Amino acid sequence: MRVDVRESVRHTKLGLDLAESLRRASDWLTDVAQVKETSLTVEDPWHFTYASWKGAMRGEYHAATRKWKFFCPVWHTGQAVKSLVLASGLLHNPKYIHAARLGADFILDKQVWGEDQPDHGLILAFENSGEWVNTSAILECMDGLLLLAEHDQSTEMRDRVVAAGTFVLDKLFMADEGLCRDGYHPAKHEVILPPPFLTRDNIGGRPLLDDAIWLKLHRLTGDPRFLDVAVRIAQTLVACQRPAGNWVDYAPCHPDQMSFHPRHTYWWGMPLLGLWRQTGRHEFLDTAMASARFTRQAMRRDGGYFRGTCYDHATGCINTDSFGHATSGSACAAIFFLEVFHETGDEAWLRDAERALDFCMKVQLRETSDPNLRGVILEKVLPPDGTDSLPYYIRDLGTIFFVQAAAKYLAKSVG
């Protein structure tokens, strides 16, 4: 059963407030976070050597020092492209789709292109190193490009995304294990070994189902290989849960502390709903629901989320740190809960999504002396450093995922 958010929500205070918060957050992405020049000025480029930065999203901002830096600009920008396409459909401001196109241009400028090239299709999505490419970062930049390609009816952009997926399938997919290798060295044209991230039993790869991109590529192209990859990875996710609905034995979780990444269930649990709809296999639905229940338990009563979220095997309880908030986790939880509501019709999931969205709106900075903060969704509150300096730490992901969550909530109720 597929149901939609109530049509009447546009007339509620939440709907009206959410639309205004969506506009402010989208303006922050376009007017503050996005780089408008080819070269960087005040930002710390870290270890990346990209020739052009135009269209990229600045990822990190420390309010106390007023300094910017980047983390992984390719996948962050790809997710921002998705956010801006969704916002454009609701807010009808041409600057959002213009910014989405700038972001797409930044990503595609980083793609190896040419049938004579050994790495044809590879997107140079550097994250932890300026030498090797992070596989999950490739996958996580693609969905926004697909949305923009559909909006613009661009077969060229669509073909670029398909080529990126084909590269990962051919070079980095471990078919027997249902996993993807995590890193690729473009200068050496080889997989990074030993693996750069923690994996279950040191197997050397992770079950990357991020953004359901494999299923989307299958539906786009009809190529059964993409569906085979999606199903095989989903089987691994079903088999390797610890605890139910999560996967602590793979980075970025920490099994020694039973500590979970705030967006882990979003990346790997939520896409199982799509595989359930595609295949009718109940184990995919059961695992997705377990993942949603884990997310519900991890989210705080006021809708907040923490990066330091730990599970106690003995009691089955979840505890958190006191600082190190992760509002992007709340926004992703809202998206996940909306998907479960659409699937089940159980309004308890809708109420959970609303609670997460309400928290995001409460930590939006609206009237600020620092123009870099105006409209942003605060990602993190740092512990005190012994001074009275601002403890606010900005990650573009808080705003990016809030825009996606708000747009998805309002899509059926604003028109």
Side-chain angles (χ1 to χ4, degrees):
M1 176 176 64
R2 293 283 287 169
V3 297
D4 292 318
V5 176
R6 298 184 302 268
E7 289 294 324
S8 60
V9 75
R10 68 175 295 186
H11 303 295
T12 67
K13 185 175 187 302
L14 173 61
L16 295 172
D17 289 349
L18 194 57
E20 176 60 17
S21 286
L22 172 64
R23 182 191 64 79
R24 291 174 181 269
S26 300
D27 285 348
W28 184 85
L29 289 176
T30 58
D31 301 343
V32 178
Q34 190 169 50
V35 177
K36 298 299 193 296
E37 306 297 332
T38 298
S39 300
L40 297 180
T41 54
V42 299
E43 303 87 356
D44 172 12
W46 199 16
H47 43 236
F48 307 118
T49 56
Y50 295 140
S52 174
W53 288 86
K54 187 175 183 179
M57 288 290 161
R58 300 176 175 93
E60 320 272 319
Y61 183 73
H62 191 191
T65 62
R66 298 197 175 192
K67 289 185 177 180
W68 290 96
K69 65 178 182 178
F70 289 92
F71 180 63
C72 186
V74 166
W75 83 257
H76 285 215
T77 302
Q79 291 296 315
V81 169
K82 183 196 299 190
S83 301
L84 292 166
V85 173
L86 294 173
S88 174
L90 289 170
L91 301 176
H92 310 296
N93 187 327
K95 77 174 181 178
Y96 300 136
I97 204 68
H98 174 70
R101 290 173 183 141
L102 281 182
D105 288 345
F106 167 76
I107 296 168
L108 296 178
D109 179 64
K110 312 303 178 284
Q111 186 174 30
V112 178
W113 198 251
E115 295 286 353
D116 59 335
Q117 300 292 319
D119 293 335
H120 173 65
L122 171 65
I123 296 175
L124 300 175
F126 299 119
E127 179 171 323
N128 302 79
S129 165
E131 294 185 354
W132 57 269
V133 173
N134 188 333
T135 306
S136 62
I138 299 173
L139 300 178
E140 290 166 10
C141 82
M142 293 164 62
D143 196 27
L145 299 180
L146 287 181
L147 277 180
L148 183 60
E150 180 181 7
H151 178 278
D152 288 352
Q153 297 184 330
S154 172
T155 56
E156 178 184 358
M157 190 178 300
R158 188 204 74 162
D159 292 345
R160 289 285 198 119
V161 178
V162 172
T166 301
F167 177 89
V168 176
L169 187 156
D170 291 342
K171 299 288 185 71
L172 299 169
F173 179 57
M174 306 163 65
D176 291 342
E177 296 85 0
L179 303 168
C180 293
R181 297 288 188 188
D182 277 312
Y184 185 82
H185 200 302
K188 298 179 180 179
H189 310 296
E190 62 185 30
V191 169
I192 295 293
L193 293 174
F197 300 130
L198 177 70
T199 63
R200 182 174 180 267
D201 298 329
N202 200 33
I203 197 168
R206 293 184 298 159
L208 301 178
L209 205 61
D210 309 48
D211 260 344
I213 198 66
W214 300 113
L215 181 59
K216 291 169 183 175
L217 289 174
H218 166 69
R219 290 173 175 169
L220 184 68
T221 66
D223 189 335
R225 296 185 305 159
F226 291 127
L227 180 59
D228 291 344
V229 170
V231 170
R232 185 67 189 89
I233 291 174
Q235 290 172 328
T236 298
L237 287 167
V238 170
C240 296
Q241 301 169 73
R242 189 170 81 92
N246 215 315
W247 297 272
V248 76
D249 296 303
Y250 297 96
C253 295
H254 299 281
D256 55 332
Q257 305 168 24
M258 289 302 291
S259 175
F260 295 85
H261 188 276
R263 298 182 300 276
H264 213 188
T265 53
Y266 171 82
W267 290 125
W268 296 0
M270 190 177 76
L272 291 167
L273 289 172
L275 267 297
W276 144 251
R277 297 173 197 133
Q278 180 75 25
T279 66
R281 293 177 58 165
H282 281 275
E283 66 268 33
F284 297 158
L285 175 62
D286 292 344
T287 303
M289 292 303 297
S291 195
R293 289 190 293 271
F294 183 99
T295 306
R296 169 188 269 170
Q297 186 182 3
M299 191 172 74
R300 303 298 80 198
R301 293 200 308 174
D302 63 356
Y305 219 103
F306 284 83
R307 193 173 186 91
T309 295
C310 298
Y311 178 83
D312 187 329
H313 270 303
T315 64
C317 294
I318 286 177
N319 205 343
T320 70
D321 294 340
S322 296
F323 294 93
H325 308 68
T327 305
S328 60
S330 297
C332 287
I335 298 169
F336 196 172
F337 297 155
L338 286 172
E339 284 297 307
V340 175
F341 168 66
H342 293 329
E343 187 64 42
T344 66
D346 182 351
E347 291 210 358
W349 294 105
L350 179 59
R351 291 192 294 272
D352 287 332
E354 290 170 342
R355 185 157 47 99
L357 286 167
D358 181 66
F359 179 85
C360 293
M361 288 191 289
K362 284 177 178 175
V363 297
Q364 185 173 40
L365 306 182
R366 298 187 175 214
E367 302 299 329
T368 66
S369 59
D370 182 351
N372 289 324
L373 298 176
R374 191 163 300 133
V376 74
I377 303 296
L378 176 64
E379 173 73 357
K380 184 183 298 187
V381 177
L382 302 171
D385 63 358
T387 75
D388 62 353
S389 61
L390 284 176
Y392 297 154
Y393 194 84
I394 305 306
R395 301 194 74 205
D396 58 347
L397 295 180
T399 307
I400 285 168
F401 285 115
F402 169 73
V403 169
Q404 292 179 26
K408 286 178 182 293
Y409 184 86
L410 292 170
K412 300 298 181 180
S413 55
V414 174

